[in-house]
Amino acid sequence: MSIAVYSEWLSAFGADRAAGLVREGVIDRIYAYLGPSAAPADANATEWSYFRNKLADMPLWGWYVCSPDQEEDAEAITRLDWELSPVGWLLNIEKPLEGAGLQPLLSRVAALGKPMVASLAGANPNHYLYDHRTMDRYGVEQEWQAYFDSDEGPWPEEAVWQLYAPTRLLPGGDYRAATWPYGDKSRVVYGWGAVDAASYRSFNRSASLSAPGVRLVGGWPPLGVSYRSLSSPRWMGTLLGLARYSKIRVALDVTRGAAEQHTLDEWAQIAASARLPGLRKRPVSVYLAEVCPDAVLRAIARGAG
């Protein structure tokens, strides 16, 4: 399986090296830092055409670190998109946009007609730090940061386990769900719901479903959904939490000398652990490409495949 890589300095990554790894099938995306404006962003804009000239289908994506000013960021991204025409946009929303509605930013970036990815912490996807519902509406993928070597995130298996761990929901909170009418799984409908007391409400259906798995936990306000199951005489469904489960890549941090802290076989095993036993593997990305040897990138790609 090909992997994605982040590059803060394209010049340090190298166009020849990037082209070789793309041709080899090791990498399928290059997230190149483009903003906000700073020395690496300016340098990468200059390097952009050089990379493109090395390989006609060089998979260059724009990587933008977002601020609380969504309109200003959208203006900058729109300008950069016109100037450089990246394949898609990686939006780092991890800190400044926690708890904020993402409609102003995502609606503007979506209008560019490019795929979008949101980079955020590899913690429980069912918490309320991010506007997952708006990300879902605009088809935004996610980069799940498993930065275990830098103590900034969990190990991949822990990050992925969080996707399937018991959900904790606040009364009235949103979450994704899959419902099928009359128990007919061939007619699965993916939508959004909310917890109100101990019931589940579907946003795309008027029916109200009882959820026996929803219960108060020790009197604490959040609700725990132990089995993620919903049922009623006419409807059945499954809670999916907030994240788009099939659209999450697990991002590995190889900065601070982490690339040398594990053998090649260990890197392959780490990449392979980005799934639960019996489930298909998840795509993997690496941060940063310029400090990660080719042998490690190949080992991670091998484990991810």
Side-chain angles (χ1 to χ4, degrees):
M1 180 183 289
S2 299
I3 60 176
V5 295
Y6 291 71
S7 181
E8 185 177 13
W9 294 89
L10 286 176
S11 59
F13 184 19
D16 288 321
R17 181 188 177 207
L21 290 167
V22 172
R23 292 192 187 101
E24 190 180 332
V26 174
I27 60 177
D28 59 9
R29 297 181 185 180
I30 302 170
Y31 300 132
Y33 180 82
L34 290 181
S37 184
D42 297 339
N44 288 343
T46 301
E47 287 281 323
W48 201 267
S49 60
Y50 186 51
F51 268 64
R52 282 276 175 79
N53 290 337
K54 285 291 179 181
L55 192 65
D57 57 349
M58 186 76 81
L60 285 171
W61 288 56
W63 163 19
Y64 199 92
V65 179
C66 299
S67 72
D69 192 335
Q70 297 187 48
E71 293 293 346
E72 181 178 347
D73 287 348
E75 288 289 341
I77 290 169
T78 300
R79 174 180 54 80
L80 289 165
D81 190 81
W82 181 81
E83 294 174 354
L84 302 175
S85 189
V87 173
W89 282 98
L90 172 82
L91 309 175
N92 189 326
I93 64 170
E94 180 186 3
K95 293 298 182 183
L97 292 177
E98 290 178 357
L102 296 174
Q103 175 70 19
L105 175 68
L106 297 186
S107 61
R108 293 280 303 278
V109 179
L112 301 175
K114 305 289 180 67
M116 290 182 287
V117 178
S119 177
L120 41 99
N124 192 328
N126 307 305
H127 62 188
Y128 290 82
L129 289 180
Y130 306 105
D131 183 5
H132 289 275
R133 190 177 183 192
T134 300
M135 285 192 280
D136 198 53
R137 184 185 310 135
Y138 288 104
V140 179
E141 297 181 20
Q142 295 179 23
E143 288 278 333
W144 214 236
Q145 298 168 6
Y147 291 174
F148 53 96
D149 276 311
S150 60
D151 295 326
E152 296 178 17
W155 282 74
E157 62 264 35
E158 181 181 349
V160 174
W161 177 83
Q162 291 286 0
L163 300 176
Y164 302 92
T167 306
R168 294 182 68 79
L169 299 168
L170 292 170
D174 290 346
Y175 59 89
R176 297 185 74 240
T179 60
W180 48 92
Y182 307 101
D184 180 5
K185 292 191 177 182
S186 67
R187 298 174 57 194
V188 174
V189 177
Y190 292 90
W192 282 84
V195 167
D196 180 9
S199 67
Y200 158 85
R201 292 197 311 272
S202 170
F203 278 84
N204 61 347
R205 300 287 183 183
S206 60
S208 177
L209 308 181
S210 63
V214 177
R215 59 186 176 81
L216 286 173
V217 180
W220 187 248
L223 299 173
V225 181
S226 300
Y227 301 103
R228 293 174 180 268
S229 64
L230 308 166
S231 63
S232 77
R234 298 179 59 195
W235 297 83
M236 298 187 68
T238 302
L239 301 182
L240 297 177
L242 295 175
R244 302 183 73 217
Y245 287 75
S246 64
K247 300 293 184 181
I248 291 179
R249 285 181 178 243
V250 175
L252 308 179
D253 185 1
V254 297
T255 60
R256 304 170 181 85
E260 290 75 36
Q261 294 178 24
H262 307 280
T263 66
L264 296 181
D265 285 343
E266 286 172 344
W267 275 117
Q269 292 169 7
I270 288 168
S273 72
R275 63 170 175 170
L276 288 185
L279 299 181
R280 67 180 179 84
K281 294 178 181 177
R282 293 187 171 277
V284 174
S285 59
V286 173
Y287 176 97
L288 293 159
E290 50 262 44
V291 301
C292 189
D294 287 358
V296 175
L297 291 176
R298 292 189 182 100
I300 293 173
R302 173 164 53 89

